[in-house]
Amino acid sequence: MRKLLIALALAASVSGCGMLYRQPIYQGNLIEKSNVEQLQQGMDRRQVMNLLGSPSVADPFHHDRWDYVATQRTGRVGATEMKTFTVFFEGDQVARWEGEYFAEQDKELANEMRGRYGNLPVDKKKQRGR
């Protein structure tokens, strides 16, 4: 009887291991794709800050560039993915931009969780704009 109880307790404790949710951890600037699409040459710094937010890296030696850095990691020991999006200025106006960012990461995460759990609420405001 004792061996049966030990086996049952062990089976119960191990059976839930595959159901752990490992939440992605994001740090830095998560930039929305729609905001990057609105970026234009000739915009001033204030307009860029209103669109993308303040840069995560303010380099005192390169005043003509703003770097938006973001990282993503799943779980405690997962690999960390880093992306950098850079806006270059000439004077006070946007000259060009380059790099990568986590575009629409919030939508992908919501779809993944909705598929897994099926009970996430739908944002009505975002559906009207489609």
Side-chain angles (χ1 to χ4, degrees):
M1 183 70 167
R2 186 173 189 214
K3 288 183 182 180
L4 179 64
L5 287 175
I6 291 173
L8 214 72
L10 184 62
S13 65
V14 173
S15 66
C17 291
M19 294 175 31
L20 291 176
Y21 169 64
R22 303 209 188 287
Q23 179 176 352
I25 300 167
Y26 302 105
Q27 292 184 326
N29 297 84
L30 288 179
I31 301 172
E32 292 188 24
K33 183 179 178 180
S34 62
N35 291 347
V36 173
E37 290 172 348
Q38 294 177 45
L39 200 57
Q40 298 176 9
Q41 288 182 334
M43 287 182 143
D44 64 22
R45 292 174 190 262
R46 182 185 49 79
Q47 291 172 315
V48 174
M49 190 169 299
N50 286 336
L51 208 57
L52 303 179
S54 59
S56 55
V57 178
D59 189 347
F61 300 107
H62 300 100
H63 297 285
D64 59 341
R65 65 182 279 170
W66 283 0
D67 294 308
Y68 295 87
V69 180
T71 61
Q72 170 188 343
R73 182 180 62 175
T74 304
R76 288 184 171 187
V77 294
T80 301
E81 182 181 1
M82 183 169 79
K83 294 187 179 184
T84 304
F85 183 77
T86 305
V87 179
F88 295 92
F89 295 92
E90 287 180 6
D92 192 35
Q93 296 183 333
V94 173
R96 62 185 173 91
W97 56 92
E98 64 183 37
E100 297 181 324
Y101 57 97
F102 294 103
E104 301 180 7
Q105 201 69 12
D106 55 346
K107 290 179 186 176
E108 290 176 23
L109 181 61
N111 288 337
E112 179 185 334
M113 294 301 105
R114 190 172 287 112
R116 184 178 292 176
Y117 300 108
N119 61 350
L120 293 177
V122 177
D123 190 352
K124 303 281 186 203
K125 291 182 226 171
K126 289 187 177 181
Q127 279 191 337
R128 285 186 217 139
R130 290 184 186 177

